[in-house]
Structure formats: structure tokens, C-alpha cells
Amino acid sequence: MLIEIFAIFTAIFFFGSPVGFAYLFGHIGAAIIVISSVKVLSKNYYLWAIILILIFTAQESRLSLEYILLATSFFCVSINDKWLSNTTDAHNKKRKILLILFFILIVLESFNINFSEKGGLLLWLPAYLSLYFNGVNKRNFLIYLACGLALFFSSKVAALLAFLACLRSKFIYIISAITLILLFTFHYNFERFIDKSVKPRIYITKSVGKALLQKPIFGHGFGTFALDFPPYRTHGQILGGKISEQIVHGHSLFNHFAFEMGLVGIGIIFGLLYLIYLNIPRALLPIIIIFLCDTPLLSFNQFLLASLIVTPYIKNAGRLGHITGLIKNKTVQKLSFISLFILTLCIFVPSIVGHYYYSKNDLSNAIKWDQKNALYYFTRGVENLNQDTKNSEEDLIKATSLAPSVSYFYGFLGAAQLANNKIEAAKKSLENAIKLDGNDGYWCLLYSYANFDNHKIYSTYRDKAFKRNPEIKTLLQDPTRTSSQFIGYSRHGDVRLAGFYRTGRRLFFPLPAITEK
């Protein structure tokens, strides 16, 4: 049992997390899980339909395909016969494994140790309680109390609301109402909660609606919300002015899937809710609450945790009979297996080898192996910015063509074009960067340089740059300092670069050699 707990915990906590995947051995571990799942996945014609949709419609199809294979492969871990066994002993064992796993997560969260969004995995705790326990009683009171306290002090109000919904007791509901009043009296500032939690969700929903009108059927590409959402923001002046305010997901699973997969994605969510209604109705309300208020299927580790909790309660889950459509013809099954295996190798071999060279800072070989990864062109373009501005511009143009919604790509392209004295081109690139990044101070500064011949624009954007980021003055006075507080991924960095599943010191770049002279 201890070995099982360790294996499941490692897969969920590390290999299935975006940060864990950003390390080479985490990337390899995740790829092994994908390859081991190919036989099961290849029989699923719904998955093949999604793969074809992503190939022909996703803005970054290479990343979308990698993400869908990771998400579905982690799901496959939960549909083995041993885990699906519903004997009394097996059920109790699963309940203990998951309970221990959640308590480990609670302890780690309390020490701010996590590889995913804080509180993201705990979103599934109410769903687990609603399935594996029949309400509060004397025997499990302490378990509910511990879980309730953990969610009370977590960063996810949605998880707490879902937890209260799964208690199924009038007395508890009264206590819960009092708890919520106390929560907003002592733990949260109500006005701040409205400004920081409610209003942003309204703005994001409006923006998703705008994006949905552009690609209503199939959406913009699975797993690419953080990369592709910025052009559709209708609230740039309210959110996105600072790196810490970038938007990593839709803050509602309905928003998230509507953006990434359009009406097809919304249909998938309602299909899942219908399955839950048919098989496990007591879990429906808590799950609807977390679907409405957050994104509990944001990354592949959440797909694994959700499937481990839910699939044992879905009838015929081992055969995928009530979850997906199966290819039954033996000849078609073989062809499907071979095709998916080749596709998996075509995606993960270049990705892993490119990742290896990237970690060695050999960007030319990284690009040679993984020609669809915009981040590699961007990194090489930035590193050449102060040495070879012509090649730097070419790499940055390639980066913007592969990922056309990332502000940093346009910002550095504008810097390279300024260095190459292409003033009009630089203006257009920097206008794109500002549009995508909520008037980031750094791009405002470069845009003021591009408009050196227009005193009004020059002064306006220079003053705006200093107002947005006062530290820019220090950076201009001391060009040896890095601009890592503005550029790159860290725990509080820009999620759009994190969307490429790469992290590390090489994403912290020097200020481009553009001076006021």
C-alpha cells in the first residue's frame, strides 16, 4: 500500500504538474506514462476526433497535441482493473490511499510546497468526500473537521463552498452559513473579494464570449488558454498591468473549455456532468460548484486525481463504455494503435531531445529537433539581441509566427527592430506587445523610444513606463542588472511562458541594449 501511495503521489504531485514537466526527468516520466497508455487510448474514436480537430484548428497544434496526450494518459492510469475493483476491501483501500494522499497535500500546501497552482489539487477534496463518505457522522467527524479547516485556510473559496455542499445536513448548513460570515468578516475583505474574485470572473467571461464568437465550434486549442487568451481581453486596464495579474485559466471550467474547445468543449463538460448525475448524483452539486467557480481540470495532474476519485463509480468504466466510444473492429484497432504510437513518438521524441539541448543551453540543436517550439526561437533571439541583431530579429519573427499571442515575443522583436533601425516595424511590434500585456511598463518605454520624433507620444509613454514600473529607472542607470522582475517565469512570473512547460534561469533575460541615446 505504501508503494502505491508513493507512486500515485509522485505522478500527481510531480510528473503530472506543469513545473515538474518542465524538468527533463519529469518530462521523460510523463512521456513514459503516455507511451504505456497508447494501447488503451488508440481504441477511443472520440480521442481521435479531438486529435484531428487540434491538428487542423488549434493555434499551437503541437502543444495542444502534447497536452491532450498527457491529460488522457494520466486519466488512463485510473481505469486499470485493480483500481476499478469495487469489492468492499478494494473500496476501503482506495479510500485510505486517497485520504492519505489528500492529507499529504494539505500538509505540503501549509508549507507552500507545491508544483501546481496553490490549492488546485485540493479542489477535488469535496468531490472525494461526497463519494467516499456518506455524510458526517461520529466515525468520520474528525476527517470532515480536518478537511474543512484545511479548505477554510486554503486559497480556494470554490473548494470551501463545494465542501459545504457535500455535507448534506441542515444543521451543518446553518453552521456553514455562520462560518461563511466569519470567513468574510475576519479572513477576507468582502469588498476586496468582489474586486479581486467576482469582477475579474465577469470580465473573463465577457472576454471568453468574445473569443468564442471567433472560433465557436472547436475553440482555440486544448491546453493553450494562457498563451492565446490575451488578444481577447476586454479588461486590459483592469487586469494584466502587472505580471502577478496575468490570467492562467478561465476561473470557471465552462469558460476554460469554451475558449479552448468551443461548443465541443462545453458539450464534453455537460456530458461529464450527465454521467455523474446518472451514476453518482450525490457528487453532482459539489462538482458543479467547483466547475462554475474554478478550473479543476487545468493540468494533467488534476485529470489524474479527478479520474482516480470518480471512475470507480462510473459503470463499465474499465471498458470506457459509458465514458467514450470504442473502436471494436480488430483490424482498425491495430491500425489505430500503430498510428497513435507513431504520433506519440513524433511528438515526444523531438520534444524530449529538444528539452535536453535546451537544458544544456544548446539552442541551435534544440531548435533543430523541436522546430515547433516557439520558446526556443525566442530564447535564442533574446540571447543574440546584443550581439547579432539581424539573426535575433529573424528568430523573434519565427517565435511570433508560432505563438502569435505572447506579448514578450513582440516586445523583444520590437527591441531587435529598433536596434536594426526598423522604426515603423518596431512600432507595430510594440503596439502588439502593449495590446497583449495591459500597458506593461517595459514595452511602454521601448514604444516611447520608437516615437522619439513625436515629443507628445514619447513623453506620454515614457512617463507611463516609469509609473507602471518605477524600477525601470534603475535598470536604465545600470544596464548590467537583469529585467527578471519583468520578464520570465518564476513562481509569481508570467504564466504564458510557463505554458511552454519550461522553467529555469534561462528565462531571465538582460535588458535589450536600447538606450535613450
Side-chain angles (χ1 to χ4, degrees):
M1 183 174 171
L2 288 174
I3 294 175
E4 287 177 305
I5 293 171
F6 179 77
I8 293 172
F9 176 78
T10 303
I12 291 174
F13 192 68
F14 189 78
F15 291 128
S17 70
V19 175
F21 188 82
Y23 294 97
L24 183 60
F25 67 93
H27 191 166
I28 294 171
I32 291 171
I33 293 175
V34 174
I35 291 170
S36 66
S37 303
V38 167
K39 186 175 181 179
V40 175
L41 291 176
S42 65
K43 298 177 183 178
N44 182 312
Y45 60 73
Y46 287 172
L47 176 62
W48 275 112
I50 292 174
I51 286 173
L52 291 174
I53 288 170
L54 294 176
I55 289 173
F56 291 107
T57 67
Q59 192 153 282
E60 288 92 17
S61 58
R62 148 78 170 72
L63 284 171
S64 289
L65 288 172
E66 190 166 27
Y67 198 102
I68 194 70
L69 287 173
L70 283 159
T72 52
S73 297
F74 274 88
F75 163 78
C76 278
V77 174
S78 69
I79 57 174
N80 63 79
D81 291 337
K82 187 177 180 182
W83 187 259
L84 291 175
S85 175
N86 279 321
T87 64
T88 302
D89 288 342
H91 178 81
N92 288 333
K93 185 178 180 181
K94 282 180 286 192
R95 182 166 63 179
K96 289 177 182 178
I97 287 174
L98 291 169
L99 183 61
I100 292 170
L101 177 60
F102 272 116
F103 274 115
I104 293 172
L105 290 173
I106 289 169
V107 172
L108 292 174
E109 286 272 313
S110 67
F111 288 99
N112 291 319
I113 301 173
N114 54 75
F115 287 98
S116 300
E117 184 183 21
K118 187 174 181 181
L121 293 172
L122 294 183
L123 278 171
W124 285 100
L125 182 53
Y128 162 75
L129 292 171
S130 67
L131 289 172
Y132 288 84
F133 295 93
N134 293 317
V136 185
N137 55 47
K138 291 181 180 179
R139 292 197 304 173
N140 59 36
F141 176 77
L142 291 178
I143 292 173
Y144 272 87
L145 179 63
C147 293
L149 288 172
L151 294 176
F152 182 87
F153 291 106
S154 76
S155 59
K156 297 289 185 181
V157 177
L160 179 62
L161 293 175
F163 168 77
L164 298 177
C166 79
L167 296 176
R168 299 191 297 276
S169 165
K170 291 182 180 179
F171 174 74
I172 294 295
Y173 288 152
I174 294 171
I175 299 298
S176 300
I178 296 172
T179 301
L180 284 174
I181 293 171
L182 292 173
L183 180 69
F184 283 104
T185 302
F186 298 105
H187 191 54
Y188 290 106
N189 179 292
F190 187 73
E191 290 183 2
R192 189 173 185 276
F193 174 76
I194 295 296
D195 289 337
K196 294 293 183 180
S197 187
V198 177
K199 285 184 179 179
R201 280 172 168 80
I202 294 172
Y203 296 128
I204 291 168
T205 301
K206 289 181 179 178
S207 299
V208 168
K210 180 182 175 183
L212 189 61
L213 290 175
Q214 294 293 319
K215 294 187 176 182
I217 307 299
F218 302 122
H220 296 256
F222 188 65
T224 62
F225 186 100
L227 295 175
D228 296 338
F229 179 70
Y232 301 95
R233 294 187 309 175
T234 58
H235 50 281
Q237 299 300 317
I238 300 164
L239 292 174
K242 299 178 182 178
I243 282 178
S244 60
E245 294 176 340
Q246 300 297 357
I247 301 167
V248 65
H249 55 77
H251 290 274
S252 161
L253 197 65
F254 295 96
N255 279 343
H256 197 83
F257 269 50
F259 180 88
E260 292 190 347
M261 301 192 71
L263 295 177
V264 171
I266 294 174
I268 290 171
I269 293 177
F270 279 106
L272 175 58
L273 292 175
Y274 181 66
L275 278 172
I276 292 169
Y277 168 74
L278 287 179
N279 294 279
I280 39 178
R282 64 180 181 272
L284 187 61
L285 182 57
I287 289 176
I288 286 177
I289 289 172
I290 60 173
F291 279 17
L292 283 172
C293 301
D294 218 302
T295 315
L297 294 177
L298 175 61
S299 56
F300 9 96
N301 55 358
Q302 289 176 304
F303 276 86
L304 174 55
L305 186 56
S307 59
L308 287 171
I309 292 169
V310 175
T311 50
Y313 286 89
I314 304 293
K315 295 175 183 176
N316 298 320
R319 294 188 292 107
L320 299 177
H322 282 227
I323 300 177
T324 57
L326 289 178
I327 297 171
K328 295 180 180 179
N329 184 281
K330 297 294 184 183
T331 302
V332 178
Q333 280 185 6
K334 289 181 181 179
L335 290 173
S336 179
F337 169 75
I338 293 170
S339 300
L340 189 60
F341 185 75
I342 292 172
L343 178 64
T344 300
L345 292 180
C346 288
I347 290 173
F348 280 92
V349 170
S351 180
I352 289 173
V353 177
H355 194 164
Y356 168 77
Y357 283 115
Y358 174 77
S359 65
K360 298 291 184 183
N361 205 27
D362 186 347
L363 294 170
S364 295
N365 271 318
I367 290 171
K368 180 181 177 181
W369 276 92
D370 193 359
Q371 298 180 17
K372 296 293 184 180
N373 195 314
L375 183 62
Y376 296 166
Y377 291 97
F378 173 58
T379 307
R380 189 172 70 177
V382 171
E383 289 191 351
N384 284 331
L385 187 55
N386 295 328
Q387 305 163 12
D388 185 348
T389 55
K390 181 180 178 181
N391 285 325
S392 171
E393 183 182 353
E394 290 176 359
D395 278 335
L396 292 166
I397 288 173
K398 181 67 174 178
T400 58
S401 69
L402 289 171
S405 301
V406 182
S407 61
Y408 293 155
F409 293 4
Y410 289 103
F412 276 98
L413 174 59
Q417 289 165 335
L418 279 175
N420 289 324
N421 205 31
K422 297 180 179 179
I423 306 301
E424 293 305 314
K427 286 181 184 178
K428 291 180 181 179
S429 297
L430 292 165
E431 284 168 1
N432 277 329
I434 291 170
K435 177 184 176 182
L436 295 171
D437 215 10
N439 289 326
D440 177 86
Y442 184 43
W443 311 138
C444 289
L445 176 70
L446 292 181
Y447 189 63
S448 72
Y449 291 166
N451 289 276
F452 63 92
D453 56 344
N454 186 319
H455 181 72
K456 183 178 180 180
I457 296 177
Y458 174 84
S459 300
T460 299
Y461 277 88
R462 191 170 180 274
D463 292 343
K464 186 180 289 187
F466 294 155
K467 184 178 180 180
R468 283 283 187 179
N469 292 321
E471 300 91 342
I472 286 178
K473 289 184 178 180
T474 306
L475 288 170
L476 290 174
Q477 294 166 359
D478 182 5
T480 62
R481 289 190 60 190
T482 64
S483 55
S484 60
Q485 52 264 65
F486 309 114
I487 310 301
Y489 173 79
S490 68
R491 285 209 176 265
H492 304 290
D494 191 301
V495 297
R496 280 168 285 172
L497 289 184
F500 290 100
Y501 314 126
R502 300 292 183 270
T503 186
R505 63 181 179 81
R506 292 180 184 83
L507 289 188
F508 297 107
F509 300 111
L511 192 72
I514 306 297
T515 66
E516 292 192 68
K517 293 181 181 180

